[in-house]
Amino acid sequence: MSNLNGWGLTARLITKHFGALGNRVSEAIANFDPETATEADRDRLADNLRSAAQKLAAARAAFDKEAGDVVKLRQLIATDEQAAGTLAERLAAGKISESTITLFCDELENNKARLPQELQEEADARQYMGELQTIVDALSKQLSEFDAQAKKAMQALASARAQQDLQQLRAERQEQLAGLQGMHGQLSALSALTRRAESIRNDAEGLRIVTDIGQKPLDQAAELEAIRKSVSQPALGNESALARLQRLSAPQAQEPLQLAKS
């Protein structure tokens, strides 16, 4: 028969270990890092759950055995108690020896003495099984909560990464817009240069107009002088050879030479 005296202590040690494990799991959830610690923490939690479940299965088997032993012992005691009356009659009739009766009585007394211990062992086995069942239930719940938290954390991570991508896209678009605005500034400078050229052309045109105005009297005077010359000098094309000779030999033609000599 199993010795269950240390089962209560073992259960308390497992409970203490579970409490420390719970703190680690809670800390892992609070500082959730899905890329490093999550799988390891979940595997560790699942391993502890499997280990506790195996211990629970063994505890259930041990409890069933202890409970069965108590049932058998009680049945044996009840049977021997019924047989005691018959044995007394057989002893009185000389059908059974006193030594056999003594052995029977010793076994009945021993069985009755063993019954409280068997009941205690059954109670210890029941308590240990119950403590293990509590641990398994808590670990199972904690694993479910861990998975739920992990799912939320993964969703939050996906959302954060999507937001990061969106902000990065916005930054790239702003950079593109800034580049386009720079091009617009360059176009504005070109427009200013074009306007400057137009202004210079306008100034030149104004100067041309002023010059044309000042040149007009000069052109008119030259035109009048040309008219006077054309009137005072006959057309050479119609001059006869004789007339030309006479004109060249006239004294007026000599005067410029005389003046030059003097």
Side-chain angles (χ1 to χ4, degrees):
M1 183 171 299
S2 301
N3 185 359
L4 305 180
N5 293 334
W7 279 15
L9 176 60
T10 303
R12 287 192 294 274
L13 291 175
I14 293 176
T15 303
K16 181 179 179 181
H17 171 70
F18 166 70
L21 174 65
N23 292 335
R24 289 199 301 272
V25 172
S26 298
E27 183 180 355
I29 293 174
N31 303 316
F32 189 78
D33 184 0
E35 296 181 356
T36 54
T38 305
E39 290 298 328
D41 289 337
R42 191 189 186 283
D43 290 343
R44 184 164 53 250
L45 181 58
D47 289 341
N48 280 275
L49 176 59
R50 283 191 294 269
S51 177
Q54 292 172 355
K55 288 181 175 63
L56 176 59
R60 286 175 177 173
F63 170 75
D64 291 340
K65 182 180 182 300
E66 294 297 334
D69 290 343
V70 170
V71 170
K72 291 178 181 179
L73 183 57
R74 281 178 168 174
Q75 290 177 348
L76 179 59
I77 291 173
T79 301
D80 288 349
E81 287 175 344
Q82 291 177 357
T86 303
L87 292 176
E89 295 176 357
R90 295 180 64 184
L91 178 61
K95 296 180 179 180
I96 189 172
S97 65
E98 288 187 2
S99 60
T100 301
I101 295 297
T102 300
L103 179 61
F104 173 82
C105 291
D106 290 342
E107 290 183 357
L108 179 57
E109 289 176 350
N110 289 334
N111 289 336
K112 287 183 176 183
R114 283 176 47 221
L115 183 59
Q117 181 181 354
E118 292 293 335
L119 291 173
Q120 183 61 49
E121 290 178 353
E122 179 189 19
D124 289 344
R126 185 190 301 275
Q127 180 182 359
Y128 181 60
M129 181 179 64
E131 290 176 351
L132 285 175
Q133 183 66 59
T134 300
I135 292 173
V136 169
D137 292 342
L139 283 172
S140 178
K141 180 180 179 181
Q142 202 163 39
L143 182 60
S144 298
E145 291 176 351
F146 187 94
D147 289 340
Q149 292 292 336
K151 183 178 180 180
K152 290 180 181 180
M154 292 300 293
Q155 291 174 347
L157 178 63
S159 177
R161 285 177 174 171
Q163 185 66 21
Q164 183 183 31
D165 293 341
L166 175 61
Q167 295 304 324
Q168 183 176 0
L169 178 61
R170 290 183 63 190
E172 291 175 356
R173 288 176 176 174
Q174 289 177 355
E175 184 177 356
Q176 292 175 358
L177 289 175
L180 293 176
Q181 289 175 355
M183 293 178 62
H184 176 69
Q186 294 175 1
L187 293 176
S188 299
L190 180 59
S191 298
L193 181 61
T194 303
R195 289 193 300 270
R196 176 63 177 166
E198 290 178 354
S199 177
I200 293 174
R201 283 198 299 269
N202 292 335
D203 292 343
E205 183 65 17
L207 290 175
R208 185 189 66 78
I209 292 173
V210 172
T211 303
D212 288 347
I213 293 173
Q215 185 67 28
K216 188 174 182 180
L218 298 177
D219 292 341
Q220 289 177 345
E223 185 178 3
L224 290 175
E225 183 65 21
I227 292 172
R228 291 190 183 97
K229 288 182 179 180
S230 63
V231 171
S232 62
Q233 295 180 0
L236 298 178
N238 297 327
E239 187 179 16
S240 64
L242 179 60
R244 184 180 183 190
L245 182 61
Q246 291 175 351
R247 179 174 57 78
L248 294 175
S249 62
Q252 297 89 326
Q254 300 289 329
E255 292 178 359
L257 293 176
Q258 294 175 358
L259 291 174
K261 291 179 180 182
S262 61

